[in-house]
Structures are given as structure tokens and as C-alpha cells.
Amino acid sequence: MNYNQLGNSGLRISEVSFGCMSLTSSEQKTAIDLLYKALDRGINFFDTADLYEKGENEVMVGKAFKGMRDKVIIATKVGNQWRPDGSGWGWNPTKSYILQAVEESLRRLQTDYIDLYQLHGGTIEDPIDETIEAFELLKQQGKIRAYGISSIRPNVIREYVNRAAIVSVMMQYSLLDRRPEETVLDLLHEHNISVLARGSLAQGLLAGKPAKPYLNYSLEEVDKAAAAVQAVAGANRKPAEVAVRFALHHPAVSSAVLGIRTEEQLQDALLAASTAPLPNSEVEHLKAVLPANKYEQHR
């Protein structure tokens, strides 16, 4: 397993990491076994959120890693507040809410600190300075080691680059979602801010699932991209390996965060981790298959 620096945080994270969102408390034993197997094989970065299963996802991650806190790097997220009646959630990036929510996440995770605390979204209308104040205070208090945001909005990302000491941005990036390439990836790389790439398999469309329209691409275009990935994979690699390696090719990307729920998905993630980086010729061949899409909103 290769490990990369997470921005300027001093944390070194596995370049393929475990997205915990798909794990369910109804299958807790299976889920915790998968977490242990991932850790045993070198994955050290585990991403969850207070939103997932109304906090039960954090509870499960906390239970799994109790007593081995020094062996794992745990990331969670904040900003989505469940309504009292449980009917859904609203957006709350205020300082007071973040300071309240972190205590609940620490309790559920059974830990004294969170390695990476991420704002789970964000809009340009948010009280951004207030949000930053909350994260900076939590760093001073030792309750978090570093902070970042999870966002695909270029205008929001630019504000945090300019105003905050973020170490990472989690965003969707794949052969079928090259929107970050226009400006965001280079901007973050220039400022030593790591990208945590999610969605690198494009809902499995680049890993063998039947083609369907995706973002602004038609079914035929998705099929064309998947066929190109398959051709590059050849006989010795799986399409999932190539798709993940494509997401990792840009130097800004420190880790591909893969949603893992089954043993097969874990094995695919580990295969991708052990696969050599794509040579530039293969990257350029894949890029030439379809025109890159661009962000149409929040520019």
C-alpha cells in the first residue's frame, strides 16, 4: 500500500481508502469484519459522517476501532442537521452547531479527537468566516487534528482556499466526471491541499455495470467510456483498477475514497491499491474518448 501526505497536516493516508457510508448497522458483524480486513491489508483512512444512518455509521466505526485508535485515521463530516421529527435534514454550518455536533461525533466514535473533520457541503451564502472559526477553535482544543470540506462547487472551494487552513477537499472525480480538471485540481495542488476523490467508479458504470446516462453523458457515451476502460485493463487488470488509477493520476489526489460494503468490493479496492500507476499514454488515451465535462453552476 502506498501512503500520501494529507495536505500539510502531517497525516499520511493510504492512497485507496474506505468510504464507510454503505455499511449498515443491521449487518454490523460483517461490516466490522470488513473494516478489520481493510486495516490488516494496509488501508488506514476511514471516512464516515454524522449524517450516515443518523449517526449509527459513526457508532459502528467507533466500536470497530476502539482500542486501536493510533492505527487508524478517521475522517467524519458535519453540517447536515437532522430535523427533530426525523423527516430529513437541513443545512447548518454555524459555529454554534459545529461545536455542538463535534461532541456527539466524538462520543459516537469513542475517541478524544477526530483526525479530519470536514464540512459536509457548503454554499457561497454560508457564514464562511464563522464556520472557519469553529474549525480553528476545535484544532486549538485538540478535538480535531485537521479540517477540510466536501464540495464540488468551485466558488465555495476558492473561498476556503483563500480564507482557511483546509488540508483537503473531497470531491467527485472520475473518467465520467472530469469537471474538477478545469480549474480546481490545479488550484488545490498549487496550495498543497489534498483531493480526496470519491465516485471514481461512477456508480459502477466504469467497473462493469450496464450503461445508463450519467451527468451530461448519454448512455452511448457512457458505454464508450466503459469500453475504453475495459480495453486499457486488458487481460491482466480489472476495469475497476483502471478507473481508480485514473482518478489517482493527478498529483493533487492523495486518496481514492471507495465505498465498500462487500468482500468483493474490498478486494477490488485492494487490487487497485496494488496496481501500478497508469502511464501517461493510457491516461491521455482515456481522456481522448470523451470531451471533458465542466461545472455549469457555482462557478
Side-chain angles (χ1 to χ4, degrees), residues 51 108 166 183 203 211 216 246 250 261 289:
L51 181 67
R108 288 189 291 261
I166 58 170
T183 60
Q203 297 177 355
N216 61 310
F246 178 86
H250 194 284
R261 186 179 54 83
V289 172

Side-chain angles (χ1 to χ4, degrees), residues 155-189:
N155 58 357
V156 172
I157 291 168
R158 282 194 300 270
E159 289 301 312
Y160 277 90
V161 169
N162 291 331
R163 295 156 70 174
I166 58 170
V167 302
S168 64
V169 178
M170 181 176 286
M171 66 179 68
Q172 188 166 288
Y173 180 50
S174 74
L175 182 59
L176 285 172
D177 189 354
R178 291 171 56 199
R179 295 175 295 177
E181 289 179 1
E182 184 184 4
T183 60
V184 172
L185 293 182
D186 289 344
L187 172 69
L188 294 174
H189 185 51

Side-chain angles (χ1 to χ4, degrees), residues 271-289:
L271 272 175
S274 64
T275 299
L278 299 183
N280 287 337
S281 59
E282 289 184 345
V283 171
E284 294 307 316
H285 172 73
L286 290 170
K287 284 184 174 182
V289 172

